[in-house]
Amino acid sequence: MSGSLPFYQKHHRHYDRGYRSREAQSAVSQYQQTSSTYSSQSKSSSKGIAASFTALDESSLSPLTKRAKPTYLAMDKENQIIGYVVPIYRGSQEYASGLSDTEEARLKGSSGYMARRGLFSSAMEMERSEHHTSRRSVMRESAERISLTKRIHDNEEYHKRMNEDNLMHTPEFVIKPRSHTVWEKQCVRLHCTVSGWPEPRVVWYKNNVSIDPMANPGKYKLESKYNVHSLEINRCDFDDTAQYRVSAMNSKGELSAFASVVVKRFKGEVDESLPVPSQQKANSRSDGWACEYGITFETHVVDKFGVSFGREGETLSLGCTVVIYPNLQRYKPEIEWFRDDKLLTPSKWIQTHWSGDQATLTLTHLNKEDEGLYTLRVTTKSGYETHSAYVFVRDADAEVEGAPGSPLDVVCQDANKDYIIISWKQPAVDGGSAILGYFVDRCEVGTTNWIQCNDTPVKFARYPVTGLVEGRSYIFRVRAVNKTGMSHPSRVSLPAAAMDPADRARKGTSAPWTGQIIVTEEEPAEGVVPSKPCELTITEATRNYVVLSWKPPGEKGHEGIMYYVEKCVAGSDSWQRVNTEIPVKSPRFALFDLAEGKSYSFRVRACNSAGVGEPSEPTEPTTVGDKLDIPAAPGRVVPTRNTDTSVVVSWEASKDAKELIGYYIESSLVGKNQWEPCNNKPVKGKRFICHGLTTEESYVFRVRALNAAGLSDFSQESEAIKVKAAIASPAPPFGITVLECERDSMVLAWKQPAFIGGADITGYFVDYREVVGGVPGKWHEANIKSVSERAYRVSELKENMDYQFQVRAANMAGVGIPSAPSEVFRCEEWTIAVPGPPHDLQALEVRKTSLTLLWKPPVYQGRDEVNGYYVDIKEAAAGIEAWRGVNEKACTSRYLKVSNLKEGETYVFRVRAQNKAGVSKPSEATEPVLADTKPGTKDMVVDVDDDGVVSLVFECSLMTPDSKFVWSKNYEEMTENPRMTIETKGGKSRAIFNNLDVEDIGIYSCIVTHTDGASGSYALTEEGVKELLKVSHDHKFPIIPLKTELAVELQEKGRVRFWLQAEKISANGKVEYVFNDNVISQGEKYKMNFDKNTGVIEMFMDSLSNQDEGTYTFQLQDGKATNQSSLVLIGDVFKQLQKEAEFQRKEWTRKQGPHFVEYLSYEVTPDCIVRLRCKVGNMKKDSVALWYKDGREIKANEKLDFSEGVLNLEIAQISRKDSGVYETIVKDDRGKDTSKLNLTDQGFKDLMNQVFSVIANSSTPLKIQSTEEGIRLYTFVNYYNDELHVTWKYKDSAIAFSDRIKSGVVGEQLWLQISEPTEKDKGKYAIEFFDGKGGLQRTVELAGQAFDDAFAEFQRLKAAAIAERNRARVAGGLPDVVTIQEGKALNLTCNISGDPLPEVTWLKNDREMVSDDHYLLKFESGKFASFTITQVNTADSGKYSILVKNKYGTESGEFTVSVFLPDEVPPPSKK
């Protein structure tokens, strides 16, 4: 190997010296200065190591200045290469080697590194001996030299013993590159692994042409790390389809490997590629490490702009939020915007803005030139991120209906002294009639005067504009015309100067107010007639003009020459000069007014002040006419589905089309024949995505091509296509588990794919294979026909054999790829007593704090039937030890609502089944579920319409065209339910109860398919049914609800207002005003007002006369609903109102000219009365003060007070209804003044906090009271308000109330009841009053003697209560007196109660009785005591009593028996 530049420095940009810092460059310069001295000494100091020197020539590597950079090939004594020697600078070792860290570490282990260290130790010792006189320094350097010399010698001896074949060998491909097929605009990477020594040089070729990344910046990226070499092709296009070869070469040989890349045209709409970002060029590390900052930036583009639509003349903004991590305060990324992959620069049409996290592009005045694919690229030191979306620009409304759209892309193609050729593109919209041609207008820069250049419209989309002033600049615009009218003008072109291109290099300063360009020409040579021009050609020919071009005479000194152009009709020899008056100055000329169809020849003569030269050689005869033909119509148009609002349209290119500009695509709804343009800017490809279409509508498409000659005919219409998202085969299922296992079969379950392909899954296919000794066999189909459930029994398996399974999902697009193979399962019969695991878990109705979990029962039941389920939960990120139960008691249903979730937390769930034998192992966990209410989610609601029909309504705003509403009752799908009718329209579904009854009680749920889990439920209870039936009845027979009944009030000047307010009334509401059964109407006396928005109905009377006494009625009607309200004004009531009205009228006139000295404020008295007060001055006797709340006047019964210039309004027992805006008005004939106080929201909250503070301060200390139930703590306040918030605490913690511990309010007493107190209830109790600040506490210590006394009193009261409840009692049934005839039988019975059972004793005349045949005394069932005299005689007359007794007390009942003979008149009985 010759001493040349090492290959790793030749072919890798990151080894270029240009990357070094200034410190490293300074070090290199020192090496170069001492290289000669060093080289002469290195041979003697290396002991057998030879080095050859070669200056580096890096002209092919870097544009930097050439400089000598020595390198060395290290060889042993046998002239075998053992490494490379590169100078090291000890003062800056970090940059010495010029290699990467990994490369340098590898070289340090080589013998070349040892030699390098030895060489430079010797050389640097001699250099430093002149500068370092320290003895210690000399000794240290000497020791280092001796040590390194010894190491080099040992290394040499080692290499002498090595076999040459082990050290050097030809390149080998450990891993060869593989072929790829990719879509257009995607990136592809070819990589390979190469071994060999010396390390091979790797070169990539495309179709046998070496790939140079510098020739196409950003297109190719080469990387070489750790013998792994890669070629990355960025944004592939169709031209990248080729065979790629990688060649590895070293001194031992060369080897190549091949790979093919095929690029399919499917994605992307623009052929150009984005240029490489400047920051990315500066940072070539593939891992994104930003050396300057010591970090790797992560860039995310969020809140992205989408496909946008605008109209000409409008302003459109595109923006994205950019998140860069880490966020460095002073670091600014490079923000670039592209249109059709061309970089945009700020101009009067384009404005860009970067706010630190928001990138915005504003198109200030849209034109069709602005249509295209817009790309935002955010570049950091670590790489770049992009986002793209299409912008469509529609034509502005034409000034005349039917006029065509404006042309676009006006460009000055050829500018000369005498003319400028203007080109443009035809518009997509012709207004309904063919475009007759175009008019070109020009305007001199610096003026606003537009001049039409052509008198008749031109059809060809290029036109030479003549009659220009040399040296001046012009702008141009174009207008299209059809038989209806003229289009809007196009966007103006860029300025162009009328001058020869050769003169532009010598142009002087441009005058900004005129745009004139000052040109300096050389003086022509005198006395020399110019020779003839040469190379005369026809550069462009149309039916309207011909453009000639030639080269000036070749002699020098002809800078001032001009030209005459001559023409001749073909077949004749008669030459006619075209420009007879003024010769042309530039070597180009446009001829007009030629006869179409005739053939002409042309020639040119040069002239100057010395004369006219010889003519040039004539051109070949040329027939006047368009040389460029209109392209043929495009071929077959094929639309394919893309998204739910777009369609991909592709077509066959126009055949033999010349100078093709692009294509226009149009769409129409099927059967409408109303064609609309899909693009207003021609597209060059053969494929375009048409956006802005209506979902579920069917469209047809057609295409036409255009070039400068015009637009082609339309292609044939495509087949109709319905706009909906394209479907694909589903992703693979996952989570395969075993639900049951028998001797020869297994039941499998799996989870639905995360992506179903945009269509319902039609079924699943299961495959299985045997696994023997850990080696899997071939796959076999388990089912030929797809199964719809996510569980399947695989039969005909071998007992005790291991199996693996895979599942594929299928939809209408086809069968997806199979899932990953499952775990290895053994086919052996389950004999466990507990059931198998549940399966097919599903989370529905996910909200921020709750969700509903559904599952299917186990396939394997165990020894007994499943009788319940347990649900477990844990956070998704937590370990298995975090599993915890949701329900302590097993639920019998196969669903459970899980509540008390933490918003924003992600959870997983599992279910266990139980039977009598025990609990099963848990099911497979669900996928992680985020506890969050998704935007647009709505809950199911109950609705009762005007006819009283009850229904459940569920809305979904996230539906797709394939979405359906599926209703269930108790989470079982309702297929046919005679009690309900399902109606669905758009995004709303309604389940109507045909006849609501208790049979309809249950949980109703609805799931929307093809959405991200949109679902909701409603639990209909027995109480809910009763309430709905009541509401339904009210709707069938409605009454207009009234907020207030009819009332009367006096207003200013004594005006009388009758009014009421309905809670709600529609725009169709009507009112009749009745006085004494007669309908009255609007007139001079009565003024009516009906505000249907607020429901306020008013009638005004300026004054009351005696004839106005009577009954006033307002009758309301709103559809079926009616109501009325009456007010009786008769007698004293009417006279008092009449008197007050007269007084108010006089009072208004009397009170004038007041003002406020102190504005309205409030204070709270110790009695918790809120007093609104203000102070006024300059009050006269006839001044008036009025109070208002929320615009309504406050009546005098609200304690309005006025004394000594102070106005007070007291509000006793304030509540939330008193919230509002209070207003005080004082006025008289001199004017009025107003003061307002806002007591709403925060204002009312502050007022109530002050009221609460007064209440809290009025509270008494906590007292202890014993009751028969327990111990009561209480306090009294001066006034209690329902808004008051208090907290009872025990040992400084809020008390959780239960049936044993309760709190309440009685009057002004606040109490806490502790029932059945125990020792655990001892401690410190407190009541805390909330006043918006620190609050106030009252405490009491319920412990020690206080507790003992209270507990003893509680026991005493409890015992007394028990004794009172359980003592013996005679409940009744005995009369006071019984009168009975002799010989009759008497039977009396009374009720006895008491615990324990009382003893019963009967007495006659205070003597105890004994039961016998005459007196039958009975006590039955422990409740009934009976007294019977079998045959009454006169001896039985007397006083009887019953005595009942137990340990708690005694009670008696008495009655008297009077016996009379049959002949006697019985005495009257006493009650």
Side-chain angles (χ1 to χ4, degrees):
M1 178 181 292
S2 63
S4 60
L5 182 68
F7 65 87
Y8 57 77
Q9 293 184 359
K10 272 187 177 181
H11 299 281
H12 296 277
R13 290 180 58 210
H14 53 280
Y15 291 124
D16 184 1
R17 298 297 193 271
Y19 81 93
R20 286 174 167 161
S21 64
R22 293 182 179 178
E23 183 182 1
Q25 292 176 2
S26 175
V28 173
S29 66
Q30 294 185 40
Y31 302 153
Q32 296 169 353
Q33 294 173 6
T34 60
S35 60
S36 59
T37 303
Y38 167 74
S39 61
S40 63
Q41 297 173 354
S42 61
K43 294 183 179 180
S44 60
S45 60
S46 60
K47 290 190 177 180
I49 297 179
S52 59
F53 308 88
T54 305
L56 298 180
D57 181 9
E58 292 193 350
S59 60
S60 62
L61 299 179
S62 173
L64 301 178
T65 307
K66 296 182 180 179
R67 51 193 175 186
K69 297 180 181 178
T71 186
Y72 309 90
L73 296 177
M75 305 180 183
D76 60 11
K77 292 181 179 180
E78 298 177 358
N79 294 326
Q80 297 297 325
I81 299 174
I82 61 174
Y84 297 94
V85 179
V86 181
I88 301 175
Y89 180 54
R90 294 178 182 268
S92 182
Q93 191 172 7
E94 178 181 0
Y95 304 98
S97 66
L99 306 176
S100 64
D101 294 341
T102 55
E103 192 76 9
E104 188 172 30
R106 183 180 61 79
L107 290 179
K108 282 185 178 181
S110 66
S111 60
Y113 180 80
M114 301 301 176
R116 184 172 58 200
R117 290 288 304 271
L119 289 171
F120 275 88
S121 296
S122 175
M124 297 308 296
E125 177 191 5
M126 298 182 65
E127 291 179 7
R128 294 185 180 183
S129 63
E130 300 176 1
H131 304 289
H132 301 283
T133 59
S134 172
R135 186 168 180 268
R136 180 180 300 174
S137 174
V138 173
M139 292 178 65
R140 181 173 65 250
E141 291 175 357
S142 178
E144 290 178 356
R145 184 177 66 257
I146 293 172
S147 175
L148 291 175
T149 302
K150 184 177 183 303
R151 291 176 60 186
I152 293 175
H153 177 73
D154 294 340
N155 193 278
E156 288 175 352
E157 295 297 320
Y158 168 76
H159 281 283
K160 288 179 180 179
R161 294 190 297 269
M162 291 181 61
N163 190 329
E164 179 182 357
D165 295 336
N166 293 335
L167 184 63
M168 305 180 67
H169 61 275
T170 58
E172 293 181 3
F173 283 93
V174 180
I175 298 177
K176 295 182 179 181
R178 65 183 182 88
S179 300
H180 290 266
T181 300
V182 296
W183 294 112
E184 203 172 15
K185 298 301 181 187
Q186 289 184 337
C187 299
V188 66
R189 173 176 289 186
L190 306 177
H191 57 83
C192 62
T193 302
V194 181
S195 66
W197 181 258
E199 186 173 345
R201 169 192 172 188
V202 175
V203 182
W204 291 86
Y205 297 87
K206 174 184 176 181
N207 292 335
N208 293 323
V209 177
S210 177
I211 295 176
D212 183 7
M214 300 300 295
N216 297 279
K219 182 64 177 178
Y220 302 105
K221 183 178 180 181
L222 300 179
E223 287 187 357
S224 296
K225 283 188 177 182
Y226 309 109
N227 295 329
V228 177
H229 308 270
S230 65
L231 166 66
E232 183 175 345
I233 307 173
N234 185 37
R235 293 174 64 86
C236 292
D237 55 29
F238 193 73
D239 294 335
D240 292 319
T241 300
Q243 184 184 63
Y244 291 82
R245 175 169 65 93
V246 55
S247 174
M249 176 179 61
N250 64 7
S251 59
K252 303 297 290 182
E254 180 181 5
L255 189 64
S256 297
F258 298 85
S260 298
V261 173
V262 178
V263 182
K264 290 187 176 182
R265 287 193 168 175
F266 177 79
K267 294 189 175 181
E269 298 153 8
V270 181
D271 292 336
E272 295 86 350
S273 298
L274 296 178
V276 174
S278 58
Q279 291 195 26
Q280 187 70 10
K281 291 180 183 179
N283 182 27
S284 61
R285 285 189 57 166
S286 61
D287 57 1
W289 179 260
C291 302
E292 179 181 352
Y293 296 90
I295 56 177
T296 299
F297 290 100
E298 295 181 9
T299 306
H300 303 279
V301 180
V302 297
D303 297 335
K304 303 175 182 178
F305 60 89
V307 176
S308 303
F309 297 87
R311 189 173 293 275
E312 284 186 311
E314 296 178 346
T315 298
L316 179 66
S317 291
L318 308 176
C320 289
T321 300
V322 180
V323 180
I324 299 177
Y325 179 82
N327 184 13
L328 302 183
Q329 185 175 2
R330 297 184 179 179
Y331 179 72
K332 180 181 179 181
E334 182 180 4
I335 305 297
E336 295 174 306
W337 289 90
F338 299 84
R339 178 172 59 231
D340 296 336
D341 288 349
K342 294 182 180 178
L343 181 65
L344 299 177
T345 56
S347 64
K348 69 176 182 178
W349 311 113
I350 299 171
Q351 297 177 3
T352 60
H353 179 68
W354 169 251
S355 64
D357 61 354
Q358 186 79 18
T360 306
L361 172 71
T362 302
L363 305 174
T364 56
H365 188 281
L366 283 176
N367 282 90
K368 288 181 288 190
E369 289 87 344
D370 297 320
E371 184 170 292
L373 182 68
Y374 282 77
T375 302
L376 166 66
R377 181 167 69 189
V378 182
T379 306
T380 64
K381 295 291 184 179
S382 300
Y384 62 88
E385 289 291 330
T386 62
H387 168 66
S388 302
Y390 215 90
V391 172
F392 295 86
V393 181
R394 305 300 190 199
D395 283 289
D397 295 334
E399 295 181 354
V400 179
E401 186 176 359
S406 59
L408 65 154
D409 284 343
V410 179
V411 179
C412 301
Q413 283 193 331
D414 190 7
N416 295 278
K417 297 178 182 179
D418 303 290
Y419 70 91
I420 296 176
I421 295 180
I422 306 301
S423 68
W424 59 91
K425 294 177 182 177
Q426 300 91 331
V429 177
D430 57 12
S433 58
I435 295 178
L436 301 177
Y438 303 89
F439 287 101
V440 180
D441 303 333
R442 75 170 186 264
C443 177
E444 187 176 340
V445 173
T447 68
T448 58
N449 183 27
W450 287 94
I451 300 174
Q452 184 173 304
C453 301
N454 51 318
D455 295 330
T456 58
V458 293
K459 285 192 174 183
F460 205 80
R462 280 199 296 269
Y463 184 75
V465 178
T466 58
L468 307 177
V469 178
E470 182 182 356
R472 294 188 179 271
S473 296
Y474 296 88
I475 56 176
F476 301 89
R477 69 184 187 187
V478 181
R479 294 168 293 148
V481 62
N482 62 7
K483 66 180 183 180
T484 304
M486 191 85 66
S487 73
H488 292 288
S490 66
R491 176 181 281 182
V492 299
S493 68
L494 295 175
M499 58 187 303
D500 190 85
D503 295 334
R504 300 178 198 275
R506 306 192 306 272
K507 69 180 180 179
T509 305
S510 175
W513 60 89
T514 63
Q516 181 177 2
I517 300 176
I518 303 172
V519 180
T520 303
E521 298 185 357
E522 296 182 10
E523 291 294 331
E526 296 183 0
V528 179
V529 177
S531 60
K532 60 182 180 181
C534 56
E535 297 184 18
L536 175 62
T537 58
I538 299 175
T539 59
E540 189 169 346
T542 70
R543 69 179 67 178
N544 298 313
Y545 64 91
V546 172
V547 178
L548 302 177
S549 176
W550 60 89
K551 288 187 177 180
E555 298 88 349
K556 295 184 179 179
H558 296 294
E559 286 78 2
I561 66 174
M562 293 184 290
Y563 304 93
Y564 288 107
V565 178
E566 298 175 349
K567 67 179 179 180
C568 174
V569 177
S572 68
D573 197 20
S574 174
W575 291 94
Q576 179 182 359
R577 183 170 292 179
V578 177
N579 54 332
T580 57
E581 298 180 357
I582 303 175
V584 297
K585 299 179 180 180
S586 62
R588 295 176 183 82
F589 186 71
L591 291 83
F592 297 89
D593 301 328
L594 300 176
E596 184 176 358
K598 284 189 176 182
S599 295
Y600 294 88
S601 295
F602 305 93
R603 67 184 185 185
V604 180
R605 294 175 183 265
C607 67
N608 60 9
S609 58
V612 180
E614 293 295 323
S616 66
E617 294 297 326
T619 64
E620 293 295 327
T622 301
T623 302
V624 177
D626 290 335
K627 300 301 181 182
L628 182 65
D629 295 327
I630 295 175
R636 181 169 175 260
V637 180
V638 179
T640 55
R641 288 175 178 170
N642 188 40
T643 69
D644 55 0
T645 58
S646 65
V647 168
V648 178
V649 179
S650 57
W651 58 90
E652 296 178 359
S654 298
K655 294 182 179 180
D656 301 327
K658 297 180 180 179
E659 299 183 24
L660 186 67
I661 294 175
Y663 298 91
Y664 283 127
I665 303 95
E666 293 185 357
S667 65
S668 172
L669 289 170
V670 173
K672 298 293 186 181
N673 199 30
Q674 296 177 355
W675 294 94
E676 295 291 337
C678 296
N679 62 316
N680 276 294
K681 185 178 180 181
V683 294
K684 292 185 177 180
K686 294 181 293 182
R687 176 183 171 276
F688 187 73
I689 301 178
C690 299
H691 289 274
L693 307 178
T694 305
T695 307
E696 291 295 305
E697 292 286 355
S698 295
Y699 287 83
V700 291
F701 299 87
R702 65 185 186 184
V703 184
R704 58 178 173 175
L706 74 154
N707 60 11
L711 280 78
S712 72
D713 295 331
F714 283 105
S715 66
Q716 292 185 353
E717 294 181 10
S718 70
E719 295 182 358
I721 185 172
K722 180 178 285 189
V723 180
K724 58 191 304 184
I727 62 174
S729 57
F734 61 99
I736 301 176
T737 57
V738 176
L739 301 181
E740 186 183 29
C741 188
E742 296 182 353
R743 292 182 178 180
D744 59 351
S745 66
M746 303 173 74
V747 178
L748 304 177
W750 54 88
K751 295 182 180 179
Q752 178 176 295
F755 172 71
I756 64 174
D760 290 331
I761 290 181
T762 57
Y764 297 92
F765 294 92
V766 181
D767 300 333
Y768 68 94
R769 66 182 178 186
E770 297 180 356
V771 178
V772 180
V775 179
K778 293 183 179 181
W779 288 105
H780 303 280
E781 294 180 349
N783 58 316
I784 299 176
K785 185 178 180 181
S786 64
V787 293
S788 58
E789 296 294 328
R790 288 193 292 274
Y792 180 70
R793 180 181 296 275
V794 181
S795 303
E796 298 181 2
L797 301 179
K798 299 177 182 179
E799 187 176 3
N800 296 324
M801 176 65 73
D802 292 335
Y803 290 93
Q804 277 186 316
F805 302 90
Q806 67 181 17
V807 183
R808 293 167 292 162
N811 61 9
M812 62 184 301
V815 180
I817 61 176
S819 65
S822 68
E823 299 177 12
V824 176
F825 300 117
R826 172 154 294 208
C827 183
E828 56 185 3
E829 186 172 6
W830 287 359
T831 58
I832 55 176
V834 297
H839 67 285
D840 201 5
L841 278 64
Q842 188 177 11
L844 299 177
E845 304 161 26
V846 180
R847 303 295 186 266
K848 61 183 179 181
T849 59
S850 66
L851 58 81
T852 300
L853 189 68
L854 280 67
W855 60 88
K856 291 184 179 179
V859 177
Y860 179 74
Q861 296 288 320
R863 294 181 183 175
D864 299 289
E865 293 185 356
V866 174
N867 56 24
Y869 300 92
Y870 294 95
V871 176
D872 298 335
I873 183 176
K874 80 174 183 70
E875 289 73 15
I880 58 174
E881 68 280 356
W883 282 108
R884 58 191 181 275
V886 174
N887 54 324
E888 296 181 359
K889 184 179 179 181
C891 65
T892 57
S893 60
R894 294 196 298 274
Y895 57 87
L896 182 69
K897 184 168 185 179
V898 183
S899 303
N900 300 323
L901 301 180
K902 183 179 179 181
E903 183 178 2
E905 184 65 64
T906 302
Y907 297 91
V908 291
F909 301 87
R910 67 185 187 185
V911 182
R912 294 170 292 140
Q914 85 167 6
N915 60 10
K916 292 180 180 180
V919 181
S920 73
K921 71 175 185 179
S923 67
E924 285 290 316
T926 65
E927 292 301 299
V929 181
L930 176 65
D932 186 30
T933 303
K934 296 180 180 179
T937 300
K938 295 184 179 180
D939 292 325
M940 188 179 296
V941 296
V942 63
D943 177 65
V944 183
D945 63 13
D946 294 338
D947 296 326
V949 178
V950 181
S951 59
L952 297 174
V953 181
F954 186 64
E955 290 187 63
C956 180
S957 59
L958 307 175
M959 296 185 64
T960 63
D962 297 323
S963 295
K964 296 179 181 179
F965 290 90
V966 179
W967 286 87
S968 301
K969 181 179 181 181
N970 296 328
Y971 295 101
E972 294 184 1
E973 184 176 350
M974 296 186 299
T975 53
E976 293 183 3
N977 189 347
R979 301 194 58 81
M980 301 193 75
T981 302
I982 308 299
E983 293 182 356
T984 301
K985 185 176 182 180
K988 180 186 292 187
S989 183
R990 184 184 299 270
I992 303 171
F993 292 97
N994 297 332
N995 185 16
L996 184 63
D997 201 349
V998 291
E999 296 181 22
D1000 297 311
I1001 294 174
I1003 299 176
Y1004 293 86
S1005 62
C1006 184
I1007 301 174
V1008 185
T1009 62
H1010 294 280
T1011 62
D1012 192 10
S1015 56
S1017 66
Y1018 187 88
L1020 190 60
T1021 62
E1022 184 176 356
E1023 293 76 10
V1025 170
K1026 293 178 181 179
E1027 181 65 24
L1028 288 174
L1029 290 174
K1030 180 181 177 182
V1031 175
S1032 175
H1033 180 271
D1034 293 341
H1035 282 217
K1036 289 181 181 179
F1037 309 100
I1039 294 177
I1040 300 175
L1042 299 179
K1043 284 187 177 180
T1044 60
E1045 296 290 338
L1046 183 60
V1048 64
E1049 66 179 13
L1050 296 178
Q1051 296 184 328
E1052 295 178 354
K1053 298 184 182 181
R1055 193 182 190 197
V1056 182
R1057 175 183 180 240
F1058 297 88
W1059 71 283
L1060 63 76
Q1061 185 176 10
E1063 286 189 5
K1064 185 179 181 182
I1065 196 165
S1066 70
N1068 298 322
K1070 299 178 182 179
V1071 180
E1072 282 192 348
Y1073 305 87
V1074 179
F1075 172 61
N1076 291 339
D1077 297 331
N1078 295 318
V1079 177
I1080 56 178
S1081 57
Q1082 182 96 359
E1084 183 177 352
K1085 184 174 183 179
Y1086 302 104
K1087 304 291 189 296
M1088 285 78 169
N1089 181 39
F1090 181 12
D1091 188 344
K1092 296 179 181 179
N1093 293 324
T1094 61
V1096 175
I1097 304 169
E1098 301 170 303
M1099 183 178 75
F1100 299 95
M1101 298 173 64
D1102 291 335
S1103 61
L1104 291 175
S1105 62
N1106 295 333
Q1107 289 75 22
D1108 297 322
E1109 183 176 3
T1111 301
Y1112 294 83
T1113 303
F1114 287 4
Q1115 296 179 347
L1116 288 71
Q1117 183 177 359
D1118 189 4
K1120 298 190 300 180
T1122 59
N1123 206 341
Q1124 71 175 24
S1125 182
S1126 299
L1127 181 64
V1128 179
L1129 297 179
I1130 298 176
D1132 293 339
V1133 176
F1134 175 76
K1135 292 179 180 179
Q1136 181 65 26
L1137 180 63
Q1138 188 180 29
K1139 184 178 179 180
E1140 287 187 14
E1142 184 66 23
F1143 173 78
Q1144 289 288 350
R1145 188 165 54 253
K1146 293 179 180 179
E1147 193 70 12
W1148 178 84
T1149 306
R1150 186 172 57 86
K1151 295 181 179 180
Q1152 299 178 13
H1155 67 278
F1156 287 95
V1157 178
E1158 295 178 2
Y1159 286 99
L1160 197 58
S1161 62
Y1162 65 81
E1163 62 182 7
V1164 181
T1165 69
D1167 297 329
C1168 293
I1169 296 175
V1170 177
R1171 180 179 295 140
L1172 308 183
R1173 64 188 303 273
C1174 58
K1175 188 174 182 180
V1176 296
N1178 195 23
M1179 296 289 290
K1180 300 195 303 185
K1181 292 183 179 180
D1182 55 353
S1183 297
V1184 64
L1186 300 175
W1187 289 82
Y1188 292 88
K1189 175 179 177 260
D1190 294 332
R1192 289 179 50 195
E1193 187 178 353
I1194 300 175
K1195 306 302 181 298
N1197 59 359
E1198 303 209 13
K1199 296 186 179 180
L1200 197 63
D1201 184 29
F1202 174 68
S1203 62
E1204 298 181 357
V1206 177
L1207 291 175
N1208 291 323
L1209 176 65
E1210 294 185 352
I1211 305 175
Q1213 299 181 355
I1214 190 167
S1215 62
R1216 185 163 295 279
K1217 69 179 183 179
D1218 298 311
S1219 172
V1221 178
Y1222 289 84
E1223 180 181 10
T1224 306
I1225 299 177
V1226 290
K1227 57 184 178 179
D1228 54 25
D1229 58 353
R1230 296 170 297 167
K1232 69 176 182 178
D1233 196 6
T1234 302
S1235 177
K1236 290 186 177 181
L1237 180 62
N1238 189 345
L1239 293 182
T1240 61
D1241 299 330
Q1242 189 61 39
F1244 183 75
K1245 185 182 296 183
D1246 294 340
L1247 170 61
M1248 293 305 296
N1249 286 337
Q1250 189 170 339
V1251 172
F1252 298 156
S1253 179
V1254 173
I1255 294 174
N1257 290 321
S1258 70
S1259 62
T1260 62
L1262 275 180
K1263 298 294 181 67
I1264 302 173
Q1265 180 184 8
S1266 299
T1267 66
E1268 63 183 40
E1269 291 86 4
I1271 298 175
R1272 173 173 291 190
L1273 310 180
Y1274 66 91
T1275 182
F1276 285 95
V1277 294
N1278 289 349
Y1279 164 71
Y1280 178 76
N1281 189 286
D1282 291 338
E1283 302 286 338
L1284 178 64
H1285 178 64
V1286 298
T1287 303
W1288 287 92
K1289 292 186 176 181
Y1290 171 62
K1291 294 182 180 181
D1292 297 328
S1293 298
I1295 295 176
F1297 296 110
S1298 63
D1299 292 339
R1300 196 176 72 87
I1301 301 178
K1302 301 178 180 178
S1303 67
V1305 180
V1306 177
E1308 280 71 37
Q1309 183 192 58
L1310 286 75
W1311 52 264
L1312 175 70
Q1313 180 72 39
I1314 307 173
S1315 300
E1316 297 295 334
T1318 64
E1319 290 290 331
K1320 294 182 180 180
D1321 296 319
K1322 288 183 178 181
K1324 179 183 176 181
Y1325 288 82
I1327 182 173
E1328 183 176 85
F1329 297 87
F1330 176 77
D1331 61 358
K1333 300 178 182 177
L1336 178 69
Q1337 277 193 357
R1338 301 291 187 191
T1339 61
V1340 67
E1341 191 73 30
L1342 186 61
Q1345 189 62 39
F1347 179 81
D1348 295 341
D1349 294 344
F1351 187 78
E1353 180 64 13
F1354 153 66
Q1355 293 286 9
R1356 186 188 67 79
L1357 295 175
K1358 179 181 179 182
I1362 292 174
E1364 179 63 23
R1365 286 196 300 269
N1366 296 329
R1367 69 178 178 85
R1369 296 177 186 271
V1370 179
L1374 297 178
D1376 293 335
V1377 177
V1378 177
T1379 302
I1380 188 168
Q1381 183 180 343
E1382 185 179 26
K1384 299 291 187 178
L1386 174 63
N1387 181 268
L1388 299 176
T1389 303
C1390 64
N1391 296 329
I1392 305 300
S1393 64
D1395 187 17
L1397 195 65
E1399 297 178 1
V1400 180
T1401 304
W1402 290 90
L1403 302 175
K1404 176 181 181 183
N1405 297 329
D1406 298 329
R1407 297 182 64 181
E1408 185 175 354
M1409 300 177 63
V1410 179
S1411 179
D1412 54 20
D1413 293 339
H1414 184 66
Y1415 295 103
L1416 300 179
L1417 308 178
K1418 295 182 181 180
F1419 183 39
E1420 298 176 335
S1421 302
K1423 294 183 180 179
F1424 308 107
S1426 61
F1427 172 81
T1428 304
I1429 305 176
T1430 56
Q1431 190 170 6
V1432 179
N1433 55 45
T1434 56
D1436 294 324
S1437 297
K1439 179 181 179 182
Y1440 293 83
S1441 61
I1442 182 173
L1443 180 67
V1444 294
K1445 178 181 179 182
N1446 66 5
K1447 68 177 183 178
Y1448 293 114
T1450 303
E1451 188 172 299
S1452 63
E1454 297 180 352
F1455 60 92
T1456 302
V1457 176
S1458 176
V1459 181
F1460 65 92
L1461 298 176
D1463 297 335
E1464 296 178 355
V1465 178
S1469 62
K1470 297 181 181 181
K1471 296 183 180 179

